[in-house]
Amino acid sequence: MTTTHTTAATEPVPPAIAIAATAVDQQENHVTTGATVWLTGLPSAGKTTIAYELAGRLKAEGHLVEVLDGDEIREFLSAGLGFSREDRHTNVQRVGFLAELLARNGVKALVPVIAPYAESRDAVRRRHQEGGSAYLEVHVATPVEVCSERDVKGLYAKQAAGELSGLTGVDDPYEEPESPDLRIESQHQSVRESAAAVHALLTERGLA
């Protein structure tokens, strides 16, 4: 007697299930410890460039990352605010609120925002402490002479020509952090080295 073995055809996986499975796999590959890294410093200090370099490295390692770019925040979240001390403080608190919200939900929030006043930065740190979210302050301590030479957005040239006033570090105050978690002198190292220094700090604190 001959026994015939029938091989059942493999049924296709419904698209919805396949998409859900992919989403689960992606989530499992993410490192979900959140934190805010606030990069403060003068205009053209290199804050945003370092933030994006760091973001790329963290994303490659599986972290959830968002860069809260100061110019984008001004356009979409703080439209209508000027550059008075009060408006600058309000802007920083809005960014701080958003950063803490992201951090508490497992995202690395990288914030390259000047935040010129110590009072404003301290308020953001307290918000994170009260919410139990990790917060690191990085001072990108590039001297104003170097920043004015870089002049990425042409702000220093406009100020020198009398077309702009209230430029942080020139004719408007910048209160340097007294005890930042990390101080970077970007004029002495590459962008990659600066980002690596911040990454090393995250690793040291158990956040990367």
Side-chain angles (χ1 to χ4, degrees), residues 50-72:
I50 294 169
Y52 278 108
E53 176 72 22
L54 177 60
R57 178 168 178 175
L58 290 171
K59 287 178 181 178
E61 295 172 350
H63 296 267
L64 297 171
V65 184
E66 288 292 342
V67 177
L68 302 184
D69 183 278
D71 290 337
E72 293 178 353

Side-chain angles (χ1 to χ4, degrees), residues 12-71:
V13 178
I17 294 178
I19 292 171
T22 300
V24 170
D25 288 342
Q26 289 176 341
Q27 184 63 34
E28 288 177 349
N29 289 332
H30 284 308
V31 182
T32 58
T33 303
T36 291
V37 179
W38 197 294
L39 298 100
T40 177
L42 298 175
S44 294
K47 305 180 296 299
T48 302
T49 306
I50 294 169
Y52 278 108
E53 176 72 22
L54 177 60
R57 178 168 178 175
L58 290 171
K59 287 178 181 178
E61 295 172 350
H63 296 267
L64 297 171
V65 184
E66 288 292 342
V67 177
L68 302 184
D69 183 278
D71 290 337

Side-chain angles (χ1 to χ4, degrees), residues 82-94:
F83 292 89
S84 66
R85 186 182 184 104
E86 181 179 356
D87 281 359
R88 287 177 188 269
H89 177 78
T90 299
N91 180 59
V92 169
Q93 298 319 298
R94 289 179 182 178

